[in-house]
Amino acid sequence: MNGRRKRVVGNWKMNGSLTANAALLDELLPQLAVLEGVELAVCPPFPYLAQVAALLEGSGVALGAQNLNVATKGAFTGEVGAEMLKELGCRYVLVGHSERRSLYGECDEVVAEKFAVALAAGLLPVLCVGETQAQRRQGQTEQVVSAQLQAVLRRSGVQGLAAGLIAYEPVWAIGTGETASPEQAQAVHRHIRVLLGEFDRERAEATAILYGGSVKADNAQALFAQPDIDGGLIGGASLEAAAFAAICQAASQQQERPQP
Ligand code: PGA
């Protein structure tokens, strides 16, 4: 028993429409309403934050964004700041997703700055880390993940990092249908917790470390049963009500039960 609550965060990426979002949540929310002991959130694209905030009201499911700018406001065409996200009701914000790193050139330092800015604004940043297939083949998984974490540790300290969430998402497993095995994922999650523990044991134990990368209804349970996997960051399957509900249910079933 580790005292950490399971969490499931849906990352809709650049998907959805006013009609599709309403239909998805209409089907999904009643199924989530009966689940206990699990923290749930969905992260729609920016233009739908207000719509989804209204639809989530009273559901217990939190709202998140997929990105933020490090500046609060000003001449940054096309960008969105932390206070804007807060004003729209966001609780979570993804930081350093591998698609942001690889397609939009976000380096570890920029990601660390975004993490710090999100925390300072009172948002819960979800720091995404993970290695590519080539890096795994070369035995560099731990080194790559450590470097991604170190940048945030340098900027925000262990106290800051532990105040947010971490999502381990092997790049080769994102959107590919190829999931890390529960053992492969657990090994990296353990590595992350041990690394944090070198700075602060207590905070390391309390930090939520989610797994992401082709989590589906049929593999969620085995992943969430691992001692250092505290839930999931879900892409593709978060767009299907039945699949996302089943994943959330798998997390709920793993909830901490009070000792008799
Ligand atoms: P996936 O995406 O579940 O579609 O693999 C996960 C993510 O990118 O967060």
Side-chain angles (χ1 to χ4, degrees):
M1 290 290 148
N2 57 39
R4 296 185 297 270
R5 263 158 91 88
K6 297 282 186 208
R7 294 181 198 245
V8 181
V9 178
N11 172 12
W12 292 4
K13 307 195 181 185
M14 200 174 78
N15 293 293
S17 68
L18 291 172
T19 314
N21 303 342
L24 175 62
L25 292 173
D26 191 49
E27 195 183 337
L28 183 62
L29 293 179
Q31 299 183 66
L32 303 188
V34 297
L35 303 181
E36 287 179 356
V38 61
E39 309 264 337
L40 304 172
V42 293
C43 305
F46 290 141
Y48 300 127
L49 286 173
Q51 179 210 14
V52 173
L55 293 170
L56 293 180
E57 224 175 283
S59 70
V61 178
L63 182 68
Q66 301 171 16
N67 184 27
L68 81 166
N69 192 274
V70 295
T72 354
K73 61 175 188 165
F76 303 101
T77 303
E79 293 296 308
V80 173
E83 290 302 330
M84 298 172 180
L85 300 181
K86 287 262 303 197
E87 196 175 15
L88 283 169
C90 286
R91 171 93 185 100
Y92 292 79
V93 61
L94 307 183
V95 169
H97 187 280
S98 81
E99 286 147 19
R100 301 286 330 160
R101 292 178 189 262
S102 66
L103 302 173
Y104 302 100
E106 291 188 12
C107 63
D108 288 347
E109 283 64 38
V110 165
V111 172
E113 191 59 29
K114 289 187 173 193
F115 187 96
V117 165
L119 260 192
L123 291 162
L124 257 184
V126 182
L127 172 68
C128 304
V129 298
E131 82 289 359
T132 63
Q133 183 69 274
Q135 289 164 334
R136 174 163 282 264
R137 280 210 201 96
Q138 286 159 21
Q140 293 172 349
T141 299
E142 294 192 351
Q143 195 183 322
V144 169
V145 168
S146 296
Q148 291 169 336
L149 293 167
Q150 291 288 0
V152 176
L153 286 165
R154 276 195 301 276
R155 177 66 182 81
S156 297
V158 69
Q159 188 182 345
L161 181 48
L165 281 76
I166 297 169
Y168 168 58
E169 299 204 300
V171 177
W172 48 272
I174 296 177
T176 59
E178 190 186 345
T179 325
S181 69
E183 296 73 24
Q184 278 175 323
Q186 165 59 25
V188 180
H189 282 234
R190 188 71 218 152
H191 167 75
I192 293 171
R193 208 177 298 287
V194 167
L195 190 150
L196 296 192
E198 286 167 14
F199 297 87
D200 186 326
R201 280 279 293 277
E202 214 169 297
R203 287 206 164 92
E205 283 307 314
T207 303
I209 310 176
L210 312 183
Y211 169 80
S214 297
V215 178
K216 306 284 178 223
D218 60 2
N219 59 25
Q221 198 142 16
L223 286 159
F224 298 164
Q226 298 298 312
D228 288 293
I229 299 185
D230 304 316
L233 178 55
I234 319 299
S238 72
L239 299 168
E240 299 162 34
F244 192 63
I247 292 167
C248 296
Q249 192 182 10
S252 166
Q253 283 163 356
Q254 298 282 341
Q255 71 176 289
E256 299 293 319
R257 295 203 167 75
Q259 301 286 343

